[in-house]
Amino acid sequence: MGRLERYVLIRTLGGVLAALAVIGTVIVLVQFVDLSRQVGVRADVGAPEIIWLTFLRVPSVIQVLLPFVFLFGGIGAYVGLNRRSELVAMRAAGVSAWRFILPFGAAAFVAGVLTVTALNPLAAAMNAQFEATRARLMENYLGDTPKDIWLRQGDDKNQIVIHAKSRDTVGGTVRLRGVSLFVYQKNRAGTPEFKRRLEAAEARLQPGFWQLTDVREATAGESSVRSDSLSIRSTLDAESAMERFASPDAIAFWRLPDAIRLTEQAGFSGAAYQLRFHQLLATPVLFAAMAVLAAAFSLRLARLGGLAGLAGAGVALGFVIFFFNQFAGALARADILPLFAGAWGPPVVALLSGLTLLCYTEDG
């Protein structure tokens, strides 16, 4: 990469950082106001707690808006170069636009990889802490009643449905109260058959098993049996159990394969987790597409006029791609589109559209 390409790359990355600073500031302000309205109604919750909740929440929101950061930052940088006639001078000297566009596209692709492998797990961990902290601050506020908890675990032989009245986490250990366990065993045809039911005052998730306290066990056709404690084998760990309470978007990238496997073992459909996994894999392509689109809508010669309108059209197209991506994901979750098409279709279409427009603009 020559000096010219490095210069343009530095300018475009500077534009991306400026866009990130602006969007990040807006997100912080919006989240602070929203949390002040939601959590600040508690008399015992002060500004430090709200600021801490805002800090925990912001990475998850920024992760969603990062494609716009590359689009807005790229458009701003290229429009600035164009209005200063720097792009005109480069192209008049015989420098192809591909020479200073491809490095930015490659940088956006690398940033997408880092977002998926590093930022996404960090944002998921901070979002989990955000949910736990907010729940603690809002506990029993205005007479809120706890919601029932439902879990399901299983393997090739058994399926267990778990119902609890409430849950909490003590020292990293998941604790359920008012627990009912419905144990099913698969017959030779693979159909689950009900075998027994267990009622327990409390259940703690230990490595490899549930530790039940004050247990009453009932088997079909037999009288119930009481015991002070009982251990039941579990295929869940503390992290995967907590993930059952979260949406697929809140699960870290590296945890999604295990979440898919455990969900399917428990007899549920893992389609939502598979869709999220493919969407994360397609994130670098989406970032590169936004970088290419930013260049495609900013290379028109300033002296010809209409540059601002074209850049505005690029911004509008970015919003169209965002909603198209969300719409395709909704169709995939509803089994109307294949999961692969719902996750990879919008980024690939956006990238091909940008490359086509660049070919038309640059090569005629």
Side-chain angles (χ1 to χ4, degrees):
M1 189 167 53
R3 181 178 299 177
L4 183 62
E5 290 84 355
R6 287 199 300 270
Y7 171 75
V8 177
L9 179 60
I10 290 173
R11 296 301 299 269
T12 51
L13 292 180
V16 168
L17 291 177
L20 179 60
V22 172
I23 293 177
T25 302
V26 172
I27 291 173
V28 169
L29 292 175
V30 171
Q31 289 295 316
F32 181 82
V33 172
D34 185 54
L35 290 172
S36 297
R37 180 179 57 83
Q38 292 181 8
V39 184
V41 293
R42 288 288 301 267
D44 56 341
V45 176
E49 288 85 356
I50 297 177
I51 293 174
W52 175 244
L53 286 175
T54 303
F55 171 74
L56 294 175
R57 180 61 176 165
V58 163
S60 298
V61 182
I62 288 181
Q63 180 184 220
V64 176
L65 298 180
L66 273 180
F68 292 103
V69 169
F70 281 90
L71 179 65
F72 298 161
I75 289 178
Y78 283 121
V79 168
L81 291 172
N82 204 341
R83 286 181 171 172
R84 288 191 298 271
S85 300
E86 293 181 77
L87 293 184
V88 176
M90 295 177 195
R91 301 178 74 181
V95 177
S96 173
W98 297 104
R99 285 181 56 183
F100 53 80
I101 292 173
L102 291 181
F104 181 45
F109 185 90
V110 173
V113 173
L114 294 176
T115 297
V116 172
T117 57
L119 178 60
N120 175 262
L122 176 64
M126 295 178 69
N127 188 65
Q129 189 174 356
F130 164 80
E131 295 291 346
T133 304
R134 185 177 63 173
R136 176 178 57 81
L137 293 175
M138 297 298 292
E139 185 177 9
N140 296 326
Y141 177 65
L142 295 179
D144 290 342
T145 56
K147 296 181 179 179
D148 287 1
I149 307 301
W150 289 94
L151 285 173
R152 188 167 176 173
Q153 66 177 47
D155 51 28
D156 296 336
K157 297 181 180 179
N158 299 295
Q159 297 284 330
I160 301 178
V161 178
I162 304 171
H163 170 254
K165 295 295 184 181
S166 63
R167 68 175 173 92
D168 57 21
T169 305
V170 180
T173 301
V174 176
R175 181 172 61 180
L176 305 178
R177 291 190 178 90
V179 187
S180 299
L181 292 90
F182 305 88
V183 181
Y184 296 83
Q185 190 175 50
K186 292 184 179 180
N187 56 24
R188 293 183 178 180
T191 303
E193 295 181 347
F194 177 75
K195 289 298 181 182
R196 55 177 177 156
R197 173 176 177 174
L198 297 98
E199 301 281 347
E202 181 181 285
R204 289 177 179 261
L205 182 58
Q206 306 293 341
F209 66 95
W210 287 99
Q211 184 65 48
L212 308 180
T213 305
D214 190 12
V215 188
R216 186 180 66 181
E217 181 179 356
T219 306
E222 299 181 8
S223 58
S224 61
V225 178
R226 288 186 175 272
S227 56
D228 294 334
S229 64
L230 184 67
S231 298
I232 297 293
R233 181 177 176 272
S234 175
T235 58
L236 302 174
D237 55 27
E239 190 170 359
S240 60
M242 294 302 295
E243 286 170 353
R244 299 301 177 89
F245 310 124
S247 66
D249 293 346
I251 300 178
F253 171 75
W254 302 109
R255 295 283 306 175
L256 279 172
D258 287 339
I260 294 170
R261 177 179 56 83
L262 291 173
T263 301
E264 292 179 344
Q265 279 185 354
F268 290 109
S269 171
Y273 299 103
Q274 292 176 7
L275 175 64
R276 178 60 178 167
F277 185 67
H278 281 289
Q279 285 176 333
L280 289 175
L281 289 178
T283 296
V285 179
L286 180 61
F287 283 16
M290 290 300 188
V292 172
L293 284 171
F297 281 92
S298 308
L299 293 183
R300 181 182 177 87
L301 296 178
R303 62 182 175 83
L304 297 179
L307 181 60
L310 195 61
V315 172
L317 182 61
F319 283 101
V320 171
I321 293 173
F322 176 79
F323 287 111
F324 176 45
N325 192 22
Q326 298 296 315
F327 182 65
L331 292 179
R333 282 189 289 270
D335 291 331
I336 298 175
L337 277 180
L339 294 176
F340 188 85
W344 288 90
V348 171
V349 169
L351 180 61
L352 293 179
S353 299
L355 292 175
T356 301
L357 185 56
L358 275 177
C359 289
Y360 176 78
T361 303
E362 179 66 12
D363 302 325

